[in-house]
Structure formats: structure tokens, C-alpha cells
Amino acid sequence: MTFPVVGMVGGGQLARMTHEAGIPLGIKFKLLSDTPLDSAAQVVGEVVIGDYRDLDTLRAFAQGCDVITFDHEHVPTEHLRALEADGIPVRPGPDALVHAQDKGVMRARLSEIGVPCPRHRIVADPADVARFAEEGDGFPVVLKTVRGGYDGKGVWIVRSAEEAAEPFRAGVPVLAEEKVAFTRELAANVVRSPHGQAVSYPVVESIQVDGVCDTVIAPAPDLSAELSAHAQQLALKVAAELGVVGHLAVELFEIRKPDGSFEVLVNELAMRPHNSGHWTQDGAITSQFANHVRAVLDLPLGDPRPRAKWTVMANVLGGDYPDMYSAYLHCMARDPGLKIHMYGKDVKPGRKVGHVNTYGDDLADVRERAAHAAGYLRGTITE
Amino acid sequence: MTFPVVGMVGGGQLARMTHEAGIPLGIKFKLLSDTPLDSAAQVVGEVVIGDYRDLDTLRAFAQGCDVITFDHEHVPTEHLRALEADGIPVRPGPDALVHAQDKGVMRARLSEIGVPCPRHRIVADPADVARFAEEGDGFPVVLKTVRGGYDGKGVWIVRSAEEAAEPFRAGVPVLAEEKVAFTRELAANVVRSPHGQAVSYPVVESIQVDGVCDTVIAPAPDLSAELSAHAQQLALKVAAELGVVGHLAVELFEIRKPDGSFEVLVNELAMRPHNSGHWTQDGAITSQFANHVRAVLDLPLGDPRPRAKWTVMANVLGGDYPDMYSAYLHCMARDPGLKIHMYGKDVKPGRKVGHVNTYGDDLADVRERAAHAAGYLRGTITE
């Protein structure tokens, strides 16, 4: 048997679900995890416990792996280059991944290739933030540290130069962006292989609560065929131009133009399976996780088309009740078609500990089922 | 978190796929496997290597498990009773499982509860086989050792008393059955929980080649609604009367009666996920594996209905080419909707090393896709 070994760096839920998707392919899966209790480390056979920031650890882990891929985007670029120099394929590679690691690099590159983004520039200090505001429509302004942010962390919305001091304290370059008056958030998810084959999932609507993804609706309701195709083409262009291998999530702002038509601006990029693609586990012919595995192995990609008219994903956040398992009785009995995906993580308030998927022909019903289950598991709905 | 620990005895592909189905539920999975190279042992996090025939090994394994279930039916009944006496739930329990372990017990019990079976009785020696033949329509007669057979092993079709010597050599009681002139083989798969909730999957057609399952078509084509409902009710009755917990496969012979109508006789029982249910992984709302896990944990069961008009499963047997991975390129490129399920087993001629699922609206096309992929992976189709 010549089945390859996929080395996954990072033990979070994305690694867990990628392992799950890899089992049917018969590939070997090897995990580098911070602790044996991490989400993926609980369910993977071959686990190495170690720190991905340590090059020697990474190098030792990569021995015997046919390809390295990631649960997160935090591995230092120079470490990835060292692995490549050792002859280990790294997918996505460091030249692509830097665009998901550094928002400054990402904005510069997207602008260069003509991908529409919010107005932006690197700012030096709070006074420079005030100048950035004056160059456009004034405050509020969005400030982001170029590295290290996710799920609303590393992002500030400031209404004055005085409020702008905090982001500069980390000593990381700060990117200023106009605060876009978007109508909603969308995501265009694509998967690309080293061969250059790419597939595009339907564009989805992503509903955020407190800066964290709450609900994803696939496909995005009331999205014109033109704008949907345009968003998919943008994502495919980004994947090709940046040399992405694997899953690429392009988070978008939908904005209404003065003439009443809509356009999209790119908000963020993620080069790994992404929360906005979790619906594909139960709603698409091939899930984002299965296609990510196929892409990093340079296998032909699977059909990304939806299996249901509507699929809705709702994140399950930790609430006040640590025991989510007992909630299964109600949720499963109420909805025999409910698909639960838990991550094996301890419940902490606000922490993503799982998600649910529902699908069907009636969007209102599909949304209600997902919202009910997610709320009941969290403990905010009790009947 | 109070997520339970499911102890799975046996490291074969059924355990592997049950683990895969358990990951989304966030349950803990612990495996007792003969070797670290067994199919499931490659992909499960917590693996104990040991012999399930040794009671001390079983008892030590069961410590910390909330429930014990099985990849196969070979654990001695007295060991299961000992675990139950230790306070460990065993699902299915020994009183049910014995009917899948011992064909003599199974036939006696099914006859007692009025479930139609082929004519049968325990036979003492070759001369007794001749008397059994004379009691009915003569030779050929089917002989089975009451324990230890599967996939055609432990089964003989004999045409004379002289040919009947072999089955008696093992020193195991031998069951004689009439050789049924069936029109085709069907399977009725149900899942039952300790609460007594049960779900029934669509009745499928199972096509055997050389005594080994080759293709399963879901639902069985041209099956009348009446006979389908009757077969489902038979399987539900067997599950309830025998106290089955978990997945029960009832393998059936379809026979044409003199008046041109059809009826079914029970061929075999399996109390675990079963080859005839593999199609549910991609073709049903809830797979047999997910429902088996839910049943053994006494959780409400998931919707067993099909997601596609037709789903076809084709087994991948080992052929002359040990490298199946390189065949992925052709198979995946030819059919982006193909679902491959490999077991991580070394290729040996005739050995089940995986299966493929296909689904769609056109049965001929769906069958062709499955047969092509299975044949190409095996090496019997080369273009």
C-alpha cells in the first residue's frame, strides 16, 4: 500500500474534522498538537505533542509525512520555508499562507491584482489614524493588528484618535480600514489543488454576533446569479493568483451601491477549512474537509455542489451549562434530521465548542431547527 | 463534560467507520484491537491491544467504558455475561447476540416467533444429512456450522451424503437447510435502542458474487410496497423479540410463489453495522454507524430515510495490484461525486479492503459508476 501520510499541524476542531474526512480515503493522518486534550488529539491515532513554533519539533514531526497542512495559520513563515528546503511539501505553501497570516500583505496583494477591498493603509500611530479618517469619510475607523487576530480578536472599531492607542501597544504593525456600511457578510469558499484544479462552493451568507460567526446559510438567500458568480470568480482568482493549495475562504462584505445594485469587497482570507464551510459536511456532495485533503494530496477534487435546497449551520457556543451531552436527548428527539458536530472541547462561555447543520426545502424551518438546537445545546433555549 | 466512553471490541472496518461516525457526536471512543495495524486501530486515538477471547483483557478494557459494543460477533457469551455482572452495559446484550453467534439458536428462535425461514434442522452426521434431504426436495442441501462462519466461510452446498463429511470435522454442531431457489437476496436493516425506539432503513437488494457481497442497491428495485413493508416489519419484529440493541441486519431470500407473488425468508442475522448498510453513509440522512452509536448510548435515533433516489454500494476487493491509491487519480477525475471508503487494510486477493458509494436519479448510471470504480480500484477494469 502506498497511501500517503498527511501531517496536520494544530489540534483544533478543523484538524479533528479533517481527520474524520480523511478516514474514508484510507490515508494516514499524523497530528502535531499542543496537548493530548486538544480537540483533534482526542480522536486521531498518531499524535505528536509539541510546539509548532519550535522548528526542531516541526522538523521531527515532518519526518515520514508526505505533505504538511494546517489547522491554523500561526506557523512562522521561516519555519515553513525550512520544511520546504528539507523537501517536505507544505500546502498551502508559505508564499500563499503569508496572505492569511499578515493582513497588511494581504491588502497590498489583493489591491495589486485588482480585487476590491475596503479603503485601507498601514497607520503609524493614533495621529496617523486621524489622518486616515480625514482622507475618507471620517471616524469610525477599523484598526487591525496585521498578525494574530481571529474571531474579532485583534480588531478595534475606534471613533477618535484618543480611542486608537490600544492597537499600537502590541508593537505589531496596525492596518486601518474604512468601516464598511455593508448590507450583510458573505463568504466564497473555493478549493484549489497544486495542479491548478479548483472547485467553488455556493456563496453563503454568514451572520455574525459579537464578531463571532453565529449562522451560515447556504446558499446566500436573494443573491443575484451575477453577484454570486462574480464572488466565486473573485475567490477563484485570489486562489490562483496567490497560489493557494487547499481550502480558501474569502469573507466578503456585500454593499449596496447608490444605484441600488450590490457589490462585494473582500474582508478576510483564511487558507484552511473555515467556519463558513462547515455546512458542506451535510449539505454538499463533497465537504470542505474532504476537498482540502484531496487538494493537499493533489488528488482530483470532489463535486462541491449542494445536496439540499437550503443548508444552515449554527455554531454552538459554550454557555452556563457545562453538560451539553444531556441536551442531546431533547435535540435528537425533536429533530431526527439534525446533524450535531461537537469538538470535544470543555465548555467555556462564548467558546465555539461545536456546530449543528440542518437542511431542507423550507428556509424558515431549516433556520429555526438549527437555531433551536444551537440555543438548546448552549442553554439559552430551555424548551 | 459528561460525554460517554463507548468501548468497541474488534478493530475491523466496522469499528473504523463507527469511530468516524462517532467523532461528530463528541463521544469518546476506546478500541480493543488484536493488533495496532487493524483497520480501526490506525485511526482511533485510544487503542488497547489485546485478545477479546481473554476475560481478564476484556474486563480491564471495559474499565472506564460506559457501554461495550462490537465490530464482530465472536466474543464468547459467558464473557459478555461476566461484563454485565460487573455492571457494564453490553449492547447488544448476550441474550440477543447469541442469535447472531449461533445459527442453530437463531433458527429455533425465529421459528418460535413465526418468522419464515428455510426448512432446517440440526444434523448429526452425513447419513442424517441424507435423511434431511429426503424429508424435503432432496439434494442439494446447505450445511452450516452453527458458529464461526461469515462471507461464505463455514457454509457448504452438498449434493450427496458423501460430500457432507467436511462440515462435521470441526466438531461444531451442523445445521442443514434447504437450498432456497430465491429470485434475489434482500436485506432489511433496522436499529433499535434500549428504550425500544426503532428505525427501519429502506429494504435493499444485495448481489453476491462467490458468496461475498458485491453490490447493494438502495432501495431494492421493483420491490412492491407491500413486500417492502412486510420485510421491514419482520426485521423490526426480530429486533424487538430478540431484544436487539444497535444495528440489526436481516438478510433475506426473496422467493417467487407458485401464484407469481413474492415472499421473503430469513437467511442470516447480523447484530452490528453490516455491509448491506454501507450505502447509508452517503445515501441516508443518518448512517447505520451513527445510528448504531446512538442506539448503544440510548440516544434518540436519527432519520433513516434516503437522501437520493438511488444509492449503490460496491465492495472493493483486493486484486492483483497492491497499490490502490494510484487508482484514485482515475476514479476521482472520472466521477467527482464518487464516495470512496477504504479500510486501511493490506490488499490480498479477494479480501474486502473498501467500498464505494454512488447516488443519483438514474439507476443504470449509478450502478455503472459504482461498478467501474470498484473494478478499477481492484484492477479488473483498466480504462
Side-chain angles (χ1 to χ4, degrees):
Chain A
M1 301 276 270
T2 56
F3 281 73
V5 179
V6 173
M8 170 65 78
V9 177
Q13 64 262 28
L14 301 176
R16 180 185 177 103
M17 294 185 279
T18 305
H19 170 60
E20 180 193 337
I23 291 174
L25 292 179
I27 57 152
K28 318 287 181 185
F29 200 80
K30 188 174 162 187
L31 184 73
L32 179 62
S33 183
D34 290 343
T35 82
L37 296 177
D38 283 8
S39 177
Q42 298 171 25
V43 298
V44 171
E46 190 173 358
V47 182
V48 174
I49 304 303
D51 185 346
Y52 62 83
R53 292 165 299 190
D54 179 68
L55 180 55
D56 290 341
T57 299
L58 267 182
R59 277 196 155 127
F61 171 73
Q63 288 300 314
C65 291
D66 293 290
V67 61
I68 297 288
T69 191
F70 310 96
D71 171 73
H72 57 66
E73 290 134 344
H74 307 321
V75 181
T77 302
E78 62 272 21
H79 289 7
L80 301 180
R81 294 202 197 286
L83 292 180
E84 283 195 327
D86 291 347
I88 309 285
V90 173
R91 293 173 178 168
D95 292 336
L97 197 60
V98 67
H99 300 93
Q101 294 176 313
D102 188 306
K103 298 182 204 298
V105 174
M106 181 265 284
R107 284 286 179 238
R109 180 76 176 130
L110 292 188
S111 300
E112 188 182 298
I113 62 174
V115 170
C117 294
R119 189 174 69 84
H120 63 274
R121 70 171 170 84
I122 298 290
V123 284
D125 53 35
D128 198 19
V129 174
R131 281 191 294 279
F132 176 81
E134 284 160 24
E135 288 157 18
D137 295 333
F139 285 101
V141 162
V142 179
L143 298 179
K144 300 175 175 178
T145 52
V146 297
R147 285 185 177 255
Y150 66 96
D151 275 358
K153 296 176 185 70
V155 178
W156 294 260
I157 297 171
V158 300
R159 300 185 176 273
S160 66
E162 292 70 40
E163 282 182 31
E166 174 69 18
F168 294 93
R169 293 203 179 110
V172 175
V174 174
L175 179 73
E177 294 181 352
E178 65 173 323
K179 186 170 186 303
V180 175
F182 57 82
T183 44
R184 59 178 171 170
E185 293 189 62
L186 303 171
N189 289 331
V190 298
V191 184
R192 184 174 174 275
S193 76
H195 258 73
Q197 189 193 15
V199 294
S200 175
Y201 287 100
V203 175
V204 299
E205 178 175 347
S206 173
I207 299 164
Q208 320 284 314
V209 174
D210 298 332
V212 177
C213 176
D214 181 81
T215 302
V216 168
I217 304 172
D222 303 320
L223 185 66
S224 72
E226 292 74 16
L227 192 57
S228 172
H230 173 66
Q232 289 184 312
Q233 282 157 9
L234 266 188
L236 290 168
K237 176 178 178 172
V238 171
E241 293 279 352
L242 272 49
V244 177
V245 171
H247 188 268
L248 169 71
V250 180
E251 297 185 81
L252 299 163
F253 294 129
E254 182 197 65
I255 54 179
R256 189 196 304 266
K257 293 191 286 189
D259 68 0
S261 68
F262 291 89
E263 65 178 343
V264 290
L265 303 180
V266 171
N267 178 19
E268 304 276 359
L269 302 182
M271 292 185 197
R272 48 171 171 75
H274 187 257
N275 205 160
S276 64
H278 289 358
W279 69 274
T280 61
Q281 292 175 300
D282 301 297
I285 294 173
T286 313
S287 79
Q288 64 166 347
F289 300 102
N291 261 337
H292 184 77
V293 171
R294 287 160 78 142
V296 302
L297 290 169
D298 207 6
L299 290 168
L301 301 177
D303 193 331
R305 284 177 297 171
R307 289 196 73 175
K309 185 174 176 191
W310 298 106
T311 303
V312 171
M313 189 279 329
N315 275 325
V316 177
L317 302 188
D320 295 332
Y321 305 96
D323 173 23
M324 288 201 176
Y325 183 71
S326 63
Y328 278 21
L329 287 177
H330 169 85
C331 292
M332 290 177 169
R334 182 180 194 264
D335 185 357
L338 178 72
K339 311 309 280 189
I340 295 177
H341 298 267
M342 296 296 282
Y343 306 154
K345 292 160 81 169
D346 284 337
V347 170
K348 295 178 186 171
R351 186 186 203 190
K352 282 183 194 170
V353 296
H355 67 271
V356 296
N357 286 331
T358 53
Y359 55 82
D361 291 335
D362 177 348
L363 179 56
D365 175 66
V366 173
R367 286 193 69 167
E368 189 280 334
R369 288 162 54 208
H372 180 93
Y376 197 91
L377 286 162
R378 185 176 188 174
T380 52
I381 296 173
T382 54
E383 51 69 49
Chain B
M1 299 278 269
T2 56
F3 281 72
V5 179
V6 173
M8 170 65 76
V9 177
Q13 63 262 30
L14 302 177
R16 179 184 177 102
M17 294 185 278
T18 304
H19 169 59
E20 180 193 339
I23 290 173
L25 293 178
I27 57 153
K28 319 285 183 187
F29 200 81
K30 189 175 161 186
L31 184 74
L32 179 62
S33 183
D34 290 343
T35 83
L37 296 177
D38 284 9
S39 177
Q42 298 172 26
V43 298
V44 171
E46 190 174 359
V47 182
V48 174
I49 304 303
D51 185 344
Y52 62 83
R53 293 165 299 191
D54 178 68
L55 180 56
D56 290 340
T57 299
L58 267 183
R59 278 196 154 128
F61 171 73
Q63 288 300 313
C65 291
D66 293 291
V67 60
I68 296 289
T69 189
F70 310 97
D71 172 73
H72 57 65
E73 291 135 343
H74 307 321
V75 182
T77 303
E78 61 273 21
H79 289 8
L80 301 179
R81 292 201 198 287
L83 292 180
E84 283 194 327
D86 291 346
I88 308 285
V90 173
R91 293 171 177 169
D95 292 337
L97 197 61
V98 67
H99 300 92
Q101 295 176 314
D102 188 307
K103 298 182 201 299
V105 174
M106 182 265 284
R107 284 286 179 240
R109 179 77 177 130
L110 292 187
S111 299
E112 188 182 297
I113 62 174
V115 170
C117 293
R119 189 174 70 85
H120 63 273
R121 70 171 170 83
I122 298 290
V123 285
D125 53 34
D128 198 18
V129 174
R131 282 191 293 278
F132 175 83
E134 286 161 20
E135 288 157 18
D137 295 333
F139 285 100
V141 162
V142 180
L143 298 179
K144 300 175 177 178
T145 52
V146 296
R147 284 184 178 255
Y150 66 96
D151 274 357
K153 296 178 185 66
V155 178
W156 295 260
I157 297 171
V158 299
R159 300 183 175 276
S160 67
E162 291 68 38
E163 283 182 29
E166 174 69 18
F168 294 93
R169 291 200 181 113
V172 175
V174 174
L175 179 73
E177 294 181 353
E178 64 173 322
K179 186 169 185 306
V180 174
F182 56 84
T183 44
R184 58 178 171 170
E185 292 190 62
L186 303 172
N189 289 330
V190 297
V191 184
R192 184 174 174 275
S193 76
H195 258 73
Q197 189 194 11
V199 293
S200 175
Y201 287 99
V203 175
V204 299
E205 177 173 349
S206 173
I207 300 165
Q208 320 283 315
V209 174
D210 299 332
V212 177
C213 176
D214 180 81
T215 302
V216 169
I217 304 172
D222 302 322
L223 185 66
S224 72
E226 292 74 15
L227 191 57
S228 173
H230 173 66
Q232 289 184 312
Q233 282 157 9
L234 266 188
L236 290 167
K237 176 178 178 173
V238 170
E241 292 279 351
L242 273 48
V244 176
V245 170
H247 188 267
L248 170 71
V250 180
E251 296 185 82
L252 299 162
F253 293 130
E254 181 196 66
I255 54 179
R256 190 195 303 265
K257 293 191 287 190
D259 68 2
S261 68
F262 291 89
E263 65 179 343
V264 290
L265 303 180
V266 171
N267 178 18
E268 303 278 1
L269 302 183
M271 292 184 196
R272 49 171 171 75
H274 187 257
N275 205 161
S276 63
H278 288 358
W279 70 274
T280 61
Q281 293 175 299
D282 301 297
I285 295 174
T286 313
S287 79
Q288 64 166 348
F289 300 102
N291 260 337
H292 184 78
V293 171
R294 288 162 77 143
V296 302
L297 290 169
D298 207 7
L299 290 168
L301 301 177
D303 193 331
R305 285 177 296 173
R307 288 195 74 174
K309 185 174 177 191
W310 298 106
T311 303
V312 170
M313 190 278 329
N315 276 324
V316 177
L317 302 188
D320 295 331
Y321 304 97
D323 173 23
M324 289 201 176
Y325 183 71
S326 64
Y328 278 20
L329 288 177
H330 168 86
C331 292
M332 290 178 170
R334 182 182 196 265
D335 185 358
L338 177 71
K339 312 308 280 189
I340 295 177
H341 298 266
M342 297 296 283
Y343 307 154
K345 293 159 81 169
D346 284 337
V347 170
K348 294 178 188 171
R351 185 186 204 191
K352 282 183 194 169
V353 294
H355 67 272
V356 295
N357 287 330
T358 52
Y359 53 82
D361 291 335
D362 177 347
L363 178 56
D365 175 66
V366 174
R367 285 193 71 168
E368 190 280 335
R369 290 163 52 207
H372 180 93
Y376 196 92
L377 286 163
R378 186 177 187 173
T380 53
I381 296 173
T382 54
E383 51 68 49

